[in-house]
Amino acid sequence: MTTLENLLTDLVSGDEERAESAVPPLVELGQDAIPPLLDLTRSPDMDTRWWALRTLAQLPHCRTEWLVRFLTEDPAPEIRQCAALGLAGKADESATGPLVQALTDADGMVGSLAATALVRIGGAAVPSLIEVVKQGPQSARILALRALAEIKDHRAIPIMMKVMEEDSSLLQHWAQEGLERLGFDMIYIKPE
């Protein structure tokens, strides 16, 4: 067997230590590793897909659309989590739409990792995050507000001020956190 074949065997061996030790050398192989890794992402076995995707996400030549496909289409939450984490490493604003949609994923960790990826994208994600805070389901609004607080973009101030009037302590927390990070250290008292 070739070195590539040996590494791929280790990657899908079912032994986490062997799999993890195969990742760095596969990444070093660069583009030569991409076709077989993409083949492994089509496996019906979730662990095989996870390790292949985890390795692909580390490659400098990994395309955003490869990760987005798994974020939006894979039935396994572990795979969607891996894709969101990979997208956080890329910080590619072309992934903003799918990441915003992932804020409503049935798996809370997928949503949380998507919010982290949106923070890494930064200012380009702000308008979409503001829309989620205005109109999204409660769990997505909280994640979007957390992302806005971490991005620290002045365009979010009006929505943060508006959220301070709501009854949700989590929304209020992230709005206050965001306002403080933007230099608005105020005490908010809700009139009775």
Side-chain angles (χ1 to χ4, degrees):
M1 283 202 289
T2 67
T3 300
L4 177 59
E5 289 170 333
N6 285 331
L7 290 170
L8 292 170
T9 299
D10 287 347
L11 189 70
V12 298
S13 66
D15 178 333
E16 284 193 31
E17 229 176 271
R18 279 179 62 194
E20 192 59 50
S21 68
V23 174
L26 282 166
V27 170
E28 285 180 27
L29 288 173
Q31 291 185 319
D32 291 342
I34 292 175
L37 287 169
L38 285 173
D39 285 343
L40 290 174
T41 64
R42 295 180 193 88
S43 171
D45 179 64
M46 191 275 300
D47 282 339
T48 298
R49 289 196 317 276
W50 190 91
W51 280 106
L53 188 61
R54 183 250 188 271
T55 307
L56 268 174
Q58 297 294 309
L59 291 167
H61 300 291
C62 178
R63 295 184 185 163
T64 300
E65 61 265 21
W66 296 340
L67 301 175
V68 165
R69 180 169 56 95
F70 290 97
L71 177 68
T72 60
E73 297 174 14
D74 201 285
E78 297 88 347
I79 301 296
R80 297 192 308 274
Q81 292 168 10
C82 186
L85 190 58
L87 288 165
K90 295 192 78 52
D92 182 347
E93 64 183 79
S94 71
T96 301
L99 286 165
V100 166
Q101 289 175 350
L103 294 175
T104 61
D105 194 280
D107 181 78
M109 182 60 75
V110 173
S112 182
L113 291 167
T116 299
L118 288 161
V119 170
R120 297 287 311 274
I121 290 170
V126 168
S128 297
L129 289 166
I130 289 171
E131 282 306 307
V132 172
V133 175
K134 287 179 180 176
Q135 303 178 41
Q138 189 75 347
S139 61
R141 293 179 72 214
I142 292 165
L143 291 170
L145 204 51
R146 185 198 91 196
L148 287 169
E150 292 181 28
I151 292 171
K152 299 185 275 193
D153 189 299
H154 284 78
R155 293 175 288 173
I157 292 172
I159 194 68
M160 289 176 180
M161 297 292 281
K162 184 171 180 166
V163 165
M164 290 304 298
E165 300 170 7
E166 294 189 30
D167 285 332
S168 167
S169 58
L170 279 172
L171 284 173
Q172 286 179 359
H173 166 77
W174 284 113
Q176 184 171 352
E177 182 72 24
L179 290 166
E180 286 175 6
R181 289 179 183 197
L182 285 163
F184 289 84
D185 298 341
M186 301 178 210
I187 297 175
Y188 300 95
I189 300 172
K190 187 174 182 178
E192 298 280 330

